[in-house]
PDB file of all heavy atoms in Angstrom:
ATOM      1  N   SER A 174      -9.768   2.249  -1.738  1.00 98.00           N
ATOM      2  CA  SER A 174      -9.479   1.021  -0.995  1.00 98.00           C
ATOM      3  C   SER A 174      -9.511  -0.188  -1.919  1.00 98.00           C
ATOM      4  O   SER A 174      -8.647  -1.075  -1.822  1.00 98.00           O
ATOM      5  CB  SER A 174     -10.487   0.838   0.146  1.00 98.00           C
ATOM      6  OG  SER A 174     -10.470   1.930   1.031  1.00 98.00           O
ATOM      7  N   CYS A 175     -10.491  -0.235  -2.792  1.00 98.00           N
ATOM      8  CA  CYS A 175     -10.603  -1.357  -3.732  1.00 98.00           C
ATOM      9  C   CYS A 175      -9.413  -1.401  -4.682  1.00 98.00           C
ATOM     10  O   CYS A 175      -8.792  -2.449  -4.888  1.00 98.00           O
ATOM     11  CB  CYS A 175     -11.898  -1.253  -4.525  1.00 98.00           C
ATOM     12  SG  CYS A 175     -13.389  -1.479  -3.543  1.00 98.00           S
ATOM     13  N   LEU A 176      -9.109  -0.261  -5.272  1.00 98.00           N
ATOM     14  CA  LEU A 176      -8.029  -0.206  -6.257  1.00 98.00           C
ATOM     15  C   LEU A 176      -6.681  -0.601  -5.659  1.00 98.00           C
ATOM     16  O   LEU A 176      -5.823  -1.155  -6.361  1.00 98.00           O
ATOM     17  CB  LEU A 176      -7.936   1.197  -6.848  1.00 98.00           C
ATOM     18  CG  LEU A 176      -9.075   1.600  -7.789  1.00 98.00           C
ATOM     19  CD1 LEU A 176      -9.032   3.099  -8.067  1.00 98.00           C
ATOM     20  CD2 LEU A 176      -8.996   0.803  -9.103  1.00 98.00           C
ATOM     21  N   LEU A 177      -6.494  -0.343  -4.367  1.00 98.00           N
ATOM     22  CA  LEU A 177      -5.192  -0.550  -3.741  1.00 98.00           C
ATOM     23  C   LEU A 177      -5.155  -1.701  -2.744  1.00 98.00           C
ATOM     24  O   LEU A 177      -4.095  -1.970  -2.159  1.00 98.00           O
ATOM     25  CB  LEU A 177      -4.755   0.742  -3.045  1.00 98.00           C
ATOM     26  CG  LEU A 177      -4.517   1.946  -3.971  1.00 98.00           C
ATOM     27  CD1 LEU A 177      -4.289   3.212  -3.139  1.00 98.00           C
ATOM     28  CD2 LEU A 177      -3.336   1.699  -4.906  1.00 98.00           C
ATOM     29  N   HIS A 178      -6.263  -2.416  -2.550  1.00 98.00           N
ATOM     30  CA  HIS A 178      -6.276  -3.385  -1.451  1.00 98.00           C
ATOM     31  C   HIS A 178      -5.295  -4.538  -1.662  1.00 98.00           C
ATOM     32  O   HIS A 178      -4.811  -5.132  -0.705  1.00 98.00           O
ATOM     33  CB  HIS A 178      -7.701  -3.901  -1.178  1.00 98.00           C
ATOM     34  CG  HIS A 178      -8.178  -4.967  -2.113  1.00 98.00           C
ATOM     35  ND1 HIS A 178      -8.665  -4.697  -3.378  1.00 98.00           N
ATOM     36  CD2 HIS A 178      -8.266  -6.313  -1.961  1.00 98.00           C
ATOM     37  CE1 HIS A 178      -9.027  -5.826  -3.963  1.00 98.00           C
ATOM     38  NE2 HIS A 178      -8.792  -6.826  -3.125  1.00 98.00           N
ATOM     39  N   ASP A 179      -4.970  -4.849  -2.919  1.00 98.00           N
ATOM     40  CA  ASP A 179      -4.013  -5.919  -3.203  1.00 98.00           C
ATOM     41  C   ASP A 179      -2.706  -5.390  -3.782  1.00 98.00           C
ATOM     42  O   ASP A 179      -1.941  -6.159  -4.366  1.00 98.00           O
ATOM     43  CB  ASP A 179      -4.631  -6.941  -4.166  1.00 98.00           C
ATOM     44  CG  ASP A 179      -5.527  -7.948  -3.473  1.00 98.00           C
ATOM     45  OD1 ASP A 179      -5.466  -8.048  -2.225  1.00 98.00           O
ATOM     46  OD2 ASP A 179      -6.301  -8.643  -4.168  1.00 98.00           O
ATOM     47  N   ILE A 180      -2.435  -4.099  -3.605  1.00 98.00           N
ATOM     48  CA  ILE A 180      -1.209  -3.532  -4.168  1.00 98.00           C
ATOM     49  C   ILE A 180       0.023  -4.207  -3.562  1.00 98.00           C
ATOM     50  O   ILE A 180       1.079  -4.305  -4.203  1.00 98.00           O
ATOM     51  CB  ILE A 180      -1.160  -1.991  -3.980  1.00 98.00           C
ATOM     52  CG1 ILE A 180      -0.122  -1.365  -4.926  1.00 98.00           C
ATOM     53  CG2 ILE A 180      -0.906  -1.618  -2.528  1.00 98.00           C
ATOM     54  CD1 ILE A 180      -0.471  -1.451  -6.384  1.00 98.00           C
ATOM     55  N   GLY A 181      -0.100  -4.711  -2.353  1.00 97.00           N
ATOM     56  CA  GLY A 181       1.008  -5.399  -1.710  1.00 97.00           C
ATOM     57  C   GLY A 181       1.373  -6.715  -2.365  1.00 97.00           C
ATOM     58  O   GLY A 181       2.442  -7.285  -2.071  1.00 97.00           O
ATOM     59  N   THR A 182       0.512  -7.236  -3.260  1.00 98.00           N
ATOM     60  CA  THR A 182       0.839  -8.466  -3.990  1.00 98.00           C
ATOM     61  C   THR A 182       1.575  -8.173  -5.290  1.00 98.00           C
ATOM     62  O   THR A 182       2.002  -9.106  -5.977  1.00 98.00           O
ATOM     63  CB  THR A 182      -0.431  -9.280  -4.328  1.00 98.00           C
ATOM     64  OG1 THR A 182      -1.226  -8.558  -5.292  1.00 98.00           O
ATOM     65  CG2 THR A 182      -1.254  -9.562  -3.082  1.00 98.00           C
ATOM     66  N   ALA A 183       1.705  -6.901  -5.643  1.00 97.00           N
ATOM     67  CA  ALA A 183       2.400  -6.539  -6.880  1.00 97.00           C
ATOM     68  C   ALA A 183       3.848  -7.011  -6.813  1.00 97.00           C
ATOM     69  O   ALA A 183       4.462  -7.073  -5.744  1.00 97.00           O
ATOM     70  CB  ALA A 183       2.339  -5.033  -7.099  1.00 97.00           C
ATOM     71  N   GLU A 184       4.395  -7.326  -7.970  1.00 93.00           N
ATOM     72  CA  GLU A 184       5.775  -7.816  -8.044  1.00 93.00           C
ATOM     73  C   GLU A 184       6.747  -6.855  -7.353  1.00 93.00           C
ATOM     74  O   GLU A 184       7.718  -7.278  -6.724  1.00 93.00           O
ATOM     75  CB  GLU A 184       6.164  -8.005  -9.507  1.00 93.00           C
ATOM     76  CG  GLU A 184       7.532  -8.614  -9.707  1.00 93.00           C
ATOM     77  CD  GLU A 184       7.842  -8.889 -11.163  1.00 93.00           C
ATOM     78  OE1 GLU A 184       6.934  -8.785 -12.005  1.00 93.00           O
ATOM     79  OE2 GLU A 184       9.019  -9.207 -11.464  1.00 93.00           O
ATOM     80  N   LYS A 185       6.463  -5.574  -7.457  1.00 95.00           N
ATOM     81  CA  LYS A 185       7.331  -4.544  -6.886  1.00 95.00           C
ATOM     82  C   LYS A 185       7.399  -4.615  -5.367  1.00 95.00           C
ATOM     83  O   LYS A 185       8.375  -4.153  -4.760  1.00 95.00           O
ATOM     84  CB  LYS A 185       6.806  -3.176  -7.326  1.00 95.00           C
ATOM     85  CG  LYS A 185       7.639  -1.978  -6.923  1.00 95.00           C
ATOM     86  CD  LYS A 185       7.055  -0.724  -7.558  1.00 95.00           C
ATOM     87  CE  LYS A 185       7.848   0.517  -7.211  1.00 95.00           C
ATOM     88  NZ  LYS A 185       7.280   1.725  -7.895  1.00 95.00           N
ATOM     89  N   PHE A 186       6.373  -5.208  -4.723  1.00 96.00           N
ATOM     90  CA  PHE A 186       6.278  -5.149  -3.265  1.00 96.00           C
ATOM     91  C   PHE A 186       6.292  -6.504  -2.569  1.00 96.00           C
ATOM     92  O   PHE A 186       6.812  -6.615  -1.462  1.00 96.00           O
ATOM     93  CB  PHE A 186       5.005  -4.390  -2.856  1.00 96.00           C
ATOM     94  CG  PHE A 186       4.908  -3.007  -3.428  1.00 96.00           C
ATOM     95  CD1 PHE A 186       3.891  -2.667  -4.315  1.00 96.00           C
ATOM     96  CD2 PHE A 186       5.846  -2.036  -3.098  1.00 96.00           C
ATOM     97  CE1 PHE A 186       3.798  -1.394  -4.846  1.00 96.00           C
ATOM     98  CE2 PHE A 186       5.760  -0.754  -3.626  1.00 96.00           C
ATOM     99  CZ  PHE A 186       4.735  -0.431  -4.503  1.00 96.00           C
ATOM    100  N   LEU A 187       5.696  -7.547  -3.164  1.00 96.00           N
ATOM    101  CA  LEU A 187       5.451  -8.791  -2.431  1.00 96.00           C
ATOM    102  C   LEU A 187       6.735  -9.413  -1.892  1.00 96.00           C
ATOM    103  O   LEU A 187       6.793  -9.814  -0.723  1.00 96.00           O
ATOM    104  CB  LEU A 187       4.715  -9.803  -3.321  1.00 96.00           C
ATOM    105  CG  LEU A 187       4.325 -11.116  -2.632  1.00 96.00           C
ATOM    106  CD1 LEU A 187       3.326 -10.869  -1.508  1.00 96.00           C
ATOM    107  CD2 LEU A 187       3.744 -12.114  -3.636  1.00 96.00           C
ATOM    108  N   ALA A 188       7.756  -9.501  -2.732  1.00 94.00           N
ATOM    109  CA  ALA A 188       8.988 -10.185  -2.337  1.00 94.00           C
ATOM    110  C   ALA A 188      10.084  -9.224  -1.900  1.00 94.00           C
ATOM    111  O   ALA A 188      11.236  -9.633  -1.714  1.00 94.00           O
ATOM    112  CB  ALA A 188       9.483 -11.059  -3.487  1.00 94.00           C
ATOM    113  N   THR A 189       9.730  -7.962  -1.723  1.00 94.00           N
ATOM    114  CA  THR A 189      10.747  -6.967  -1.347  1.00 94.00           C
ATOM    115  C   THR A 189      10.533  -6.451   0.076  1.00 94.00           C
ATOM    116  O   THR A 189      11.140  -5.466   0.468  1.00 94.00           O
ATOM    117  CB  THR A 189      10.738  -5.780  -2.334  1.00 94.00           C
ATOM    118  OG1 THR A 189       9.441  -5.169  -2.327  1.00 94.00           O
ATOM    119  CG2 THR A 189      11.074  -6.253  -3.742  1.00 94.00           C
ATOM    120  N   THR A 190       9.661  -7.103   0.824  1.00 96.00           N
ATOM    121  CA  THR A 190       9.411  -6.717   2.210  1.00 96.00           C
ATOM    122  C   THR A 190       9.160  -7.968   3.029  1.00 96.00           C
ATOM    123  O   THR A 190       8.668  -8.986   2.509  1.00 96.00           O
ATOM    124  CB  THR A 190       8.193  -5.783   2.317  1.00 96.00           C
ATOM    125  OG1 THR A 190       7.960  -5.465   3.696  1.00 96.00           O
ATOM    126  CG2 THR A 190       6.935  -6.443   1.774  1.00 96.00           C
ATOM    127  N   TYR A 191       9.484  -7.897   4.318  1.00 97.00           N
ATOM    128  CA  TYR A 191       9.167  -8.994   5.228  1.00 97.00           C
ATOM    129  C   TYR A 191       7.735  -8.885   5.747  1.00 97.00           C
ATOM    130  O   TYR A 191       7.237  -9.819   6.374  1.00 97.00           O
ATOM    131  CB  TYR A 191      10.141  -8.987   6.415  1.00 97.00           C
ATOM    132  CG  TYR A 191      11.549  -9.397   6.051  1.00 97.00           C
ATOM    133  CD1 TYR A 191      12.544  -8.445   5.911  1.00 97.00           C
ATOM    134  CD2 TYR A 191      11.882 -10.740   5.849  1.00 97.00           C
ATOM    135  CE1 TYR A 191      13.846  -8.812   5.572  1.00 97.00           C
ATOM    136  CE2 TYR A 191      13.167 -11.120   5.511  1.00 97.00           C
ATOM    137  CZ  TYR A 191      14.144 -10.150   5.374  1.00 97.00           C
ATOM    138  OH  TYR A 191      15.425 -10.521   5.037  1.00 97.00           O
ATOM    139  N   MET A 192       7.088  -7.771   5.492  1.00 97.00           N
ATOM    140  CA  MET A 192       5.724  -7.575   5.978  1.00 97.00           C
ATOM    141  C   MET A 192       4.713  -8.383   5.174  1.00 97.00           C
ATOM    142  O   MET A 192       4.903  -8.636   3.982  1.00 97.00           O
ATOM    143  CB  MET A 192       5.345  -6.089   5.918  1.00 97.00           C
ATOM    144  CG  MET A 192       5.956  -5.258   7.000  1.00 97.00           C
ATOM    145  SD  MET A 192       5.295  -3.558   7.012  1.00 97.00           S
ATOM    146  CE  MET A 192       6.104  -2.899   5.573  1.00 97.00           C
ATOM    147  N   SER A 193       3.617  -8.737   5.808  1.00 97.00           N
ATOM    148  CA  SER A 193       2.488  -9.334   5.106  1.00 97.00           C
ATOM    149  C   SER A 193       1.980  -8.354   4.052  1.00 97.00           C
ATOM    150  O   SER A 193       2.054  -7.136   4.236  1.00 97.00           O
ATOM    151  CB  SER A 193       1.366  -9.655   6.089  1.00 97.00           C
ATOM    152  OG  SER A 193       1.817 -10.528   7.102  1.00 97.00           O
ATOM    153  N   PHE A 194       1.443  -8.899   2.956  1.00 97.00           N
ATOM    154  CA  PHE A 194       1.108  -8.028   1.829  1.00 97.00           C
ATOM    155  C   PHE A 194       0.070  -6.972   2.192  1.00 97.00           C
ATOM    156  O   PHE A 194       0.105  -5.854   1.667  1.00 97.00           O
ATOM    157  CB  PHE A 194       0.660  -8.852   0.618  1.00 97.00           C
ATOM    158  CG  PHE A 194      -0.798  -9.205   0.566  1.00 97.00           C
ATOM    159  CD1 PHE A 194      -1.734  -8.326   0.026  1.00 97.00           C
ATOM    160  CD2 PHE A 194      -1.259 -10.426   1.028  1.00 97.00           C
ATOM    161  CE1 PHE A 194      -3.084  -8.653  -0.040  1.00 97.00           C
ATOM    162  CE2 PHE A 194      -2.605 -10.773   0.966  1.00 97.00           C
ATOM    163  CZ  PHE A 194      -3.512  -9.879   0.429  1.00 97.00           C
ATOM    164  N   GLU A 195      -0.875  -7.292   3.094  1.00 97.00           N
ATOM    165  CA  GLU A 195      -1.891  -6.307   3.462  1.00 97.00           C
ATOM    166  C   GLU A 195      -1.262  -5.092   4.148  1.00 97.00           C
ATOM    167  O   GLU A 195      -1.659  -3.953   3.904  1.00 97.00           O
ATOM    168  CB  GLU A 195      -2.937  -6.911   4.408  1.00 97.00           C
ATOM    169  CG  GLU A 195      -3.608  -8.176   3.908  1.00 97.00           C
ATOM    170  CD  GLU A 195      -2.944  -9.415   4.464  1.00 97.00           C
ATOM    171  OE1 GLU A 195      -1.691  -9.432   4.557  1.00 97.00           O
ATOM    172  OE2 GLU A 195      -3.662 -10.359   4.813  1.00 97.00           O
ATOM    173  N   PHE A 196      -0.296  -5.347   5.021  1.00 97.00           N
ATOM    174  CA  PHE A 196       0.315  -4.274   5.794  1.00 97.00           C
ATOM    175  C   PHE A 196       1.218  -3.397   4.918  1.00 97.00           C
ATOM    176  O   PHE A 196       1.162  -2.167   4.994  1.00 97.00           O
ATOM    177  CB  PHE A 196       1.091  -4.851   6.982  1.00 97.00           C
ATOM    178  CG  PHE A 196       0.209  -5.620   7.933  1.00 97.00           C
ATOM    179  CD1 PHE A 196       0.043  -6.987   7.804  1.00 97.00           C
ATOM    180  CD2 PHE A 196      -0.482  -4.966   8.935  1.00 97.00           C
ATOM    181  CE1 PHE A 196      -0.791  -7.689   8.661  1.00 97.00           C
ATOM    182  CE2 PHE A 196      -1.317  -5.659   9.812  1.00 97.00           C
ATOM    183  CZ  PHE A 196      -1.471  -7.029   9.670  1.00 97.00           C
ATOM    184  N   LYS A 197       2.030  -4.051   4.097  1.00 98.00           N
ATOM    185  CA  LYS A 197       2.858  -3.286   3.164  1.00 98.00           C
ATOM    186  C   LYS A 197       1.970  -2.502   2.204  1.00 98.00           C
ATOM    187  O   LYS A 197       2.215  -1.307   1.937  1.00 98.00           O
ATOM    188  CB  LYS A 197       3.771  -4.227   2.379  1.00 98.00           C
ATOM    189  CG  LYS A 197       4.609  -3.539   1.299  1.00 98.00           C
ATOM    190  CD  LYS A 197       5.597  -2.549   1.889  1.00 98.00           C
ATOM    191  CE  LYS A 197       6.505  -1.980   0.804  1.00 98.00           C
ATOM    192  NZ  LYS A 197       7.491  -1.020   1.357  1.00 98.00           N
ATOM    193  N   GLY A 198       0.933  -3.152   1.689  1.00 98.00           N
ATOM    194  CA  GLY A 198       0.040  -2.477   0.754  1.00 98.00           C
ATOM    195  C   GLY A 198      -0.663  -1.290   1.372  1.00 98.00           C
ATOM    196  O   GLY A 198      -0.854  -0.252   0.724  1.00 98.00           O
ATOM    197  N   ALA A 199      -1.037  -1.418   2.637  1.00 98.00           N
ATOM    198  CA  ALA A 199      -1.715  -0.322   3.323  1.00 98.00           C
ATOM    199  C   ALA A 199      -0.795   0.887   3.464  1.00 98.00           C
ATOM    200  O   ALA A 199      -1.224   2.039   3.306  1.00 98.00           O
ATOM    201  CB  ALA A 199      -2.188  -0.784   4.701  1.00 98.00           C
ATOM    202  N   ILE A 200       0.475   0.639   3.761  1.00 98.00           N
ATOM    203  CA  ILE A 200       1.442   1.731   3.870  1.00 98.00           C
ATOM    204  C   ILE A 200       1.658   2.393   2.511  1.00 98.00           C
ATOM    205  O   ILE A 200       1.682   3.633   2.406  1.00 98.00           O
ATOM    206  CB  ILE A 200       2.769   1.205   4.454  1.00 98.00           C
ATOM    207  CG1 ILE A 200       2.565   0.755   5.907  1.00 98.00           C
ATOM    208  CG2 ILE A 200       3.863   2.266   4.363  1.00 98.00           C
ATOM    209  CD1 ILE A 200       3.721  -0.022   6.477  1.00 98.00           C
ATOM    210  N   VAL A 201       1.822   1.573   1.482  1.00 98.00           N
ATOM    211  CA  VAL A 201       1.983   2.111   0.123  1.00 98.00           C
ATOM    212  C   VAL A 201       0.778   2.965  -0.251  1.00 98.00           C
ATOM    213  O   VAL A 201       0.919   4.072  -0.789  1.00 98.00           O
ATOM    214  CB  VAL A 201       2.167   0.969  -0.895  1.00 98.00           C
ATOM    215  CG1 VAL A 201       2.093   1.491  -2.330  1.00 98.00           C
ATOM    216  CG2 VAL A 201       3.496   0.255  -0.669  1.00 98.00           C
ATOM    217  N   ALA A 202      -0.419   2.469   0.057  1.00 98.00           N
ATOM    218  CA  ALA A 202      -1.646   3.184  -0.293  1.00 98.00           C
ATOM    219  C   ALA A 202      -1.732   4.521   0.433  1.00 98.00           C
ATOM    220  O   ALA A 202      -2.055   5.555  -0.175  1.00 98.00           O
ATOM    221  CB  ALA A 202      -2.859   2.318   0.045  1.00 98.00           C
ATOM    222  N   ARG A 203      -1.464   4.503   1.727  1.00 98.00           N
ATOM    223  CA  ARG A 203      -1.552   5.752   2.502  1.00 98.00           C
ATOM    224  C   ARG A 203      -0.546   6.778   1.990  1.00 98.00           C
ATOM    225  O   ARG A 203      -0.884   7.953   1.790  1.00 98.00           O
ATOM    226  CB  ARG A 203      -1.322   5.470   3.988  1.00 98.00           C
ATOM    227  CG  ARG A 203      -1.541   6.688   4.891  1.00 98.00           C
ATOM    228  CD  ARG A 203      -1.332   6.330   6.358  1.00 98.00           C
ATOM    229  NE  ARG A 203      -1.738   7.440   7.226  1.00 98.00           N
ATOM    230  CZ  ARG A 203      -0.971   8.476   7.530  1.00 98.00           C
ATOM    231  NH1 ARG A 203       0.257   8.556   7.020  1.00 98.00           N
ATOM    232  NH2 ARG A 203      -1.416   9.443   8.318  1.00 98.00           N
ATOM    233  N   ASP A 204       0.689   6.343   1.779  1.00 98.00           N
ATOM    234  CA  ASP A 204       1.714   7.262   1.282  1.00 98.00           C
ATOM    235  C   ASP A 204       1.329   7.828  -0.088  1.00 98.00           C
ATOM    236  O   ASP A 204       1.529   9.018  -0.363  1.00 98.00           O
ATOM    237  CB  ASP A 204       3.062   6.551   1.185  1.00 98.00           C
ATOM    238  CG  ASP A 204       3.690   6.275   2.546  1.00 98.00           C
ATOM    239  OD1 ASP A 204       3.209   6.835   3.553  1.00 98.00           O
ATOM    240  OD2 ASP A 204       4.664   5.489   2.601  1.00 98.00           O
ATOM    241  N   LEU A 205       0.790   6.974  -0.947  1.00 98.00           N
ATOM    242  CA  LEU A 205       0.407   7.414  -2.297  1.00 98.00           C
ATOM    243  C   LEU A 205      -0.689   8.467  -2.232  1.00 98.00           C
ATOM    244  O   LEU A 205      -0.594   9.524  -2.885  1.00 98.00           O
ATOM    245  CB  LEU A 205      -0.064   6.210  -3.119  1.00 98.00           C
ATOM    246  CG  LEU A 205      -0.603   6.540  -4.515  1.00 98.00           C
ATOM    247  CD1 LEU A 205       0.498   7.099  -5.411  1.00 98.00           C
ATOM    248  CD2 LEU A 205      -1.251   5.298  -5.146  1.00 98.00           C
ATOM    249  N   ILE A 206      -1.732   8.202  -1.464  1.00 98.00           N
ATOM    250  CA  ILE A 206      -2.857   9.132  -1.383  1.00 98.00           C
ATOM    251  C   ILE A 206      -2.411  10.479  -0.838  1.00 98.00           C
ATOM    252  O   ILE A 206      -2.788  11.539  -1.352  1.00 98.00           O
ATOM    253  CB  ILE A 206      -3.992   8.521  -0.535  1.00 98.00           C
ATOM    254  CG1 ILE A 206      -4.608   7.326  -1.287  1.00 98.00           C
ATOM    255  CG2 ILE A 206      -5.068   9.560  -0.213  1.00 98.00           C
ATOM    256  CD1 ILE A 206      -5.501   6.463  -0.429  1.00 98.00           C
ATOM    257  N   LEU A 207      -1.575  10.456   0.189  1.00 98.00           N
ATOM    258  CA  LEU A 207      -1.077  11.712   0.745  1.00 98.00           C
ATOM    259  C   LEU A 207      -0.189  12.444  -0.262  1.00 98.00           C
ATOM    260  O   LEU A 207      -0.257  13.670  -0.382  1.00 98.00           O
ATOM    261  CB  LEU A 207      -0.305  11.447   2.040  1.00 98.00           C
ATOM    262  CG  LEU A 207      -1.144  10.973   3.236  1.00 98.00           C
ATOM    263  CD1 LEU A 207      -0.241  10.639   4.418  1.00 98.00           C
ATOM    264  CD2 LEU A 207      -2.190  12.016   3.633  1.00 98.00           C
ATOM    265  N   SER A 208       0.623  11.696  -1.003  1.00 98.00           N
ATOM    266  CA  SER A 208       1.501  12.330  -1.988  1.00 98.00           C
ATOM    267  C   SER A 208       0.721  12.977  -3.117  1.00 98.00           C
ATOM    268  O   SER A 208       1.199  13.913  -3.767  1.00 98.00           O
ATOM    269  CB  SER A 208       2.485  11.308  -2.566  1.00 98.00           C
ATOM    270  OG  SER A 208       1.847  10.425  -3.481  1.00 98.00           O
ATOM    271  N   LEU A 209      -0.492  12.489  -3.358  1.00 98.00           N
ATOM    272  CA  LEU A 209      -1.350  13.039  -4.409  1.00 98.00           C
ATOM    273  C   LEU A 209      -2.271  14.148  -3.885  1.00 98.00           C
ATOM    274  O   LEU A 209      -3.130  14.631  -4.610  1.00 98.00           O
ATOM    275  CB  LEU A 209      -2.186  11.916  -5.036  1.00 98.00           C
ATOM    276  CG  LEU A 209      -1.394  10.844  -5.792  1.00 98.00           C
ATOM    277  CD1 LEU A 209      -2.305   9.690  -6.190  1.00 98.00           C
ATOM    278  CD2 LEU A 209      -0.717  11.434  -7.029  1.00 98.00           C
ATOM    279  N   GLY A 210      -2.097  14.516  -2.626  1.00 98.00           N
ATOM    280  CA  GLY A 210      -2.885  15.603  -2.048  1.00 98.00           C
ATOM    281  C   GLY A 210      -4.192  15.175  -1.430  1.00 98.00           C
ATOM    282  O   GLY A 210      -5.030  16.029  -1.106  1.00 98.00           O
ATOM    283  N   GLY A 211      -4.379  13.877  -1.226  1.00 98.00           N
ATOM    284  CA  GLY A 211      -5.606  13.402  -0.595  1.00 98.00           C
ATOM    285  C   GLY A 211      -5.655  13.773   0.875  1.00 98.00           C
ATOM    286  O   GLY A 211      -4.614  13.912   1.526  1.00 98.00           O
ATOM    287  N   PRO A 212      -6.852  13.934   1.437  1.00 96.00           N
ATOM    288  CA  PRO A 212      -6.983  14.283   2.862  1.00 96.00           C
ATOM    289  C   PRO A 212      -6.447  13.157   3.756  1.00 96.00           C
ATOM    290  O   PRO A 212      -6.630  11.973   3.447  1.00 96.00           O
ATOM    291  CB  PRO A 212      -8.494  14.449   3.047  1.00 96.00           C
ATOM    292  CG  PRO A 212      -9.073  14.556   1.673  1.00 96.00           C
ATOM    293  CD  PRO A 212      -8.161  13.814   0.765  1.00 96.00           C
ATOM    294  N   GLU A 213      -5.806  13.533   4.838  1.00 96.00           N
ATOM    295  CA  GLU A 213      -5.244  12.519   5.725  1.00 96.00           C
ATOM    296  C   GLU A 213      -6.305  11.564   6.294  1.00 96.00           C
ATOM    297  O   GLU A 213      -6.058  10.355   6.366  1.00 96.00           O
ATOM    298  CB  GLU A 213      -4.457  13.167   6.860  1.00 96.00           C
ATOM    299  CG  GLU A 213      -3.712  12.159   7.717  1.00 96.00           C
ATOM    300  CD  GLU A 213      -2.728  12.799   8.683  1.00 96.00           C
ATOM    301  OE1 GLU A 213      -2.685  14.049   8.748  1.00 96.00           O
ATOM    302  OE2 GLU A 213      -2.011  12.053   9.370  1.00 96.00           O
ATOM    303  N   PRO A 214      -7.505  12.044   6.686  1.00 96.00           N
ATOM    304  CA  PRO A 214      -8.515  11.091   7.167  1.00 96.00           C
ATOM    305  C   PRO A 214      -8.905  10.068   6.097  1.00 96.00           C
ATOM    306  O   PRO A 214      -9.160   8.904   6.420  1.00 96.00           O
ATOM    307  CB  PRO A 214      -9.702  11.989   7.531  1.00 96.00           C
ATOM    308  CG  PRO A 214      -9.104  13.318   7.812  1.00 96.00           C
ATOM    309  CD  PRO A 214      -7.960  13.442   6.858  1.00 96.00           C
ATOM    310  N   GLU A 215      -8.944  10.487   4.846  1.00 97.00           N
ATOM    311  CA  GLU A 215      -9.260   9.546   3.777  1.00 97.00           C
ATOM    312  C   GLU A 215      -8.140   8.527   3.607  1.00 97.00           C
ATOM    313  O   GLU A 215      -8.393   7.321   3.465  1.00 97.00           O
ATOM    314  CB  GLU A 215      -9.502  10.289   2.466  1.00 97.00           C
ATOM    315  CG  GLU A 215      -9.926   9.381   1.321  1.00 97.00           C
ATOM    316  CD  GLU A 215     -10.431  10.147   0.115  1.00 97.00           C
ATOM    317  OE1 GLU A 215      -9.878  11.242  -0.166  1.00 97.00           O
ATOM    318  OE2 GLU A 215     -11.356   9.673  -0.563  1.00 97.00           O
TER     319      GLU A 215
END
């Protein structure tokens, strides 16, 4: 959560979505963790 909490402010994401950075970042984080084999509850 700490490592990814501001991922939505990254240049790659901040200006490429209409979503607030927290919401976009949360989606990016969830997708990343699942893609790396992390448990869905985590």
